[in-house]
Amino acid sequence: MKRPEDERLPFGQLLVYGTQHILTMYGGLIAPPLIVGAAAGLSAPDIGLLITAGIFISGLATLLQSLGLGPFGARLPIVQGISFASVSTMVSIASRDGVRPVFGAILVAGVIGVILSSFFAHLVRLFPPVVTGTIITVIGISLLPVSFDWALGGVGAKGYGDPGNIALAGLTLLVILVISRLFQGFVSRLSILIGMIAGTLVAIPWGKADFGAVGHGPVVSLPPVFGLGTPVFDAGAIVAMTIVVLVIMTETMADIIAIGQIVETPVDHRRVANGLRADMLSTTVAPVFGAFPASAFAQNVGLVAITGIKSRFAVAAGGGVLVLLGLVPLFGRVVAAIPAPVLGGAGIVLFGSVAASGIRTLSRVEYADNLNLVVVAVSLGMGMVPIARPHFWDKFPSGVGVVLDSGISAAAVTAVLLNLFFNRWRALLKAKPSVFAAAPDERGTPLPEA
């Protein structure tokens, strides 16, 4: 039986759908190199090297994850990019000692991640629908603030919060909604891309898009090996980055499970292990070219849910586009010129759809005569802490902060532990439910099973 993700589309459609994936994630892809490079005090050309290397590695990682090579790659429509989860740790290292200890820590932590992938994948049985639905919901909610910042113009940008930025984001969102409502099939599935193009075209005469820097810099350039110096191996940095890698693996596993549910294809521990190995191999190779840890991009999970394009070959085409962007900085500069408010308008749809997918999964969970309601409630609360109060864990040891400062990993850890405590630890299972258990529906019948 042919799997949904193995559908082969005409080359033109693959290229268009793949490009749509890249436009969706491009803003999030270039943000970590910008932030870490600035913290390390790098010059503009060196920060440009970080960005180019990140694009190049993300393309190779996406190809490996979607197409697969032996035991590496989940062979699912998953886009890989530079992880946000590692930014705060990298900034703390880079601001003190520069980027070379960051690269050394990533190399060692990536190797550790590859070794742990098989063991980590066996934890997939700990992720029933009550857990995965909660995590997917938090993934979407945690990404929405990013789209809001984009809609305001991008953090640190001149004119941040200007009503014109919000209007441009609203216009982009409106175009996406109108295209989705009025058209069907191929055109409807391109609603995100069409909305972003329309928003950018409107932004040009409005003075909110600047393509002046597109012609500056080399047209073709291969990311140099150790172009920013050879790695330095610092024990403290390695420990901190290893903790980050475990967080990244948790988030990637959640994304693999989420995309499996959206595509409606089986995801077992072997497939998760293959995906994690690809994730960690890409992370290990990244510092060789001057890039940072790679992970699955949750916003592209939302794009798969919206468009209904389940083919992994469409994502692979996007990976190929990323590789070209990494080799031809001119293309990268064009895409980077897309105004942040345009990305914000598209992000509201994309990230909101991820949360909606999680809610859909939670709607199929059985809540009668058990404590699943508590599992969802507390896990959502823990996942919201770093979103609503970003400095909540600042006074705690750094290891605690690394895990719990990510709403996704905080929700994942909480949901897994509570599910074990309430649903798997048989010594505590009681015949009569707690007062927090949801009652049957009005007809006295239980809710649909997961």
Side-chain angles (χ1 to χ4, degrees), residues 74-423:
R75 293 169 173 82
L76 286 168
I78 296 174
V79 175
Q80 298 279 125
I82 303 304
S83 172
F84 264 103
S86 59
V87 169
S88 60
T89 299
M90 291 191 297
V91 165
S92 65
I93 299 171
S95 59
R96 183 180 68 249
D97 302 315
V99 294
R100 293 175 64 193
V102 173
F103 293 146
I106 295 171
L107 269 171
V108 177
V111 171
I112 293 173
V114 172
I115 295 171
L116 292 178
S117 294
S118 295
F119 164 76
F120 215 83
H122 282 283
L123 299 179
V124 69
R125 65 181 183 278
L126 302 180
F127 288 77
V130 68
V131 174
T132 57
T134 302
I135 296 172
I136 296 168
T137 302
V138 172
I139 288 174
I141 295 174
S142 66
L143 287 170
L144 280 170
V146 176
S147 67
F148 302 152
D149 280 329
W150 285 341
L152 292 170
V155 176
K158 184 179 179 180
Y160 179 81
D162 183 79
N165 292 334
I166 300 174
L168 182 58
L171 175 65
T172 303
L173 175 60
L174 179 62
V175 172
I176 293 171
L177 296 176
V178 169
I179 295 295
S180 300
R181 181 65 182 87
L182 296 183
F183 296 90
Q184 295 180 345
F186 182 74
V187 176
S188 178
R189 289 170 174 174
L190 291 177
S191 59
I192 301 294
L193 179 60
I194 294 172
M196 293 174 68
I197 292 174
T200 301
L201 291 176
V202 170
I204 293 173
W206 201 346
K208 292 188 175 296
D210 183 10
F211 289 88
V214 169
H216 297 170
V219 176
V220 178
S221 175
L222 180 68
V225 174
F226 297 130
L228 295 175
T230 55
V232 171
F233 300 97
D234 176 80
I238 290 171
V239 170
M241 192 59 64
T242 300
I243 295 173
V244 170
V245 158
L246 294 177
V247 173
I248 291 174
M249 292 175 73
T250 301
E251 294 184 353
T252 296
M253 182 163 63
D255 286 334
I256 292 173
I257 294 171
I259 202 70
Q261 292 185 352
I262 292 171
V263 174
E264 298 178 332
T265 191
V267 173
D268 56 15
H269 71 86
R270 178 173 297 180
R271 202 165 198 186
V272 171
N274 290 344
L276 292 177
R277 285 192 202 99
D279 205 49
M280 291 298 100
L281 179 61
S282 302
T283 294
T284 304
V285 173
V288 174
F289 292 96
F292 301 138
S295 68
F297 258 42
Q299 52 261 56
N300 294 88
V301 174
L303 186 58
V304 173
I306 287 177
T307 63
I309 301 299
K310 302 175 181 180
S311 172
R312 60 192 175 99
F313 300 108
V315 165
V321 171
L322 274 179
V323 172
L324 289 177
L325 290 175
L327 295 175
V328 186
L330 175 66
F331 295 158
R333 293 192 293 271
V334 171
V335 179
I338 295 176
V342 172
L343 295 174
I348 291 173
V349 181
L350 293 169
F351 304 159
S353 70
V354 176
S357 296
I359 294 170
R360 182 177 60 184
T361 299
L362 289 175
S363 71
R364 299 196 293 264
V365 173
E366 170 64 69
Y367 294 99
D369 295 335
N370 59 46
L371 288 169
N372 281 338
L373 199 65
V374 179
V375 175
V376 175
V378 177
S379 302
L380 284 176
M382 289 296 292
M384 285 297 297
V385 168
I387 302 170
R389 293 293 181 269
H391 303 290
F392 192 93
W393 303 108
D394 282 1
K395 302 293 185 180
F396 285 74
S398 59
V400 174
V402 167
V403 176
L404 298 183
D405 266 343
S406 166
I408 300 170
S409 59
V413 170
T414 304
V416 168
L417 292 178
L418 289 182
N419 179 63
L420 289 173
F421 186 68
F422 289 134
N423 296 328

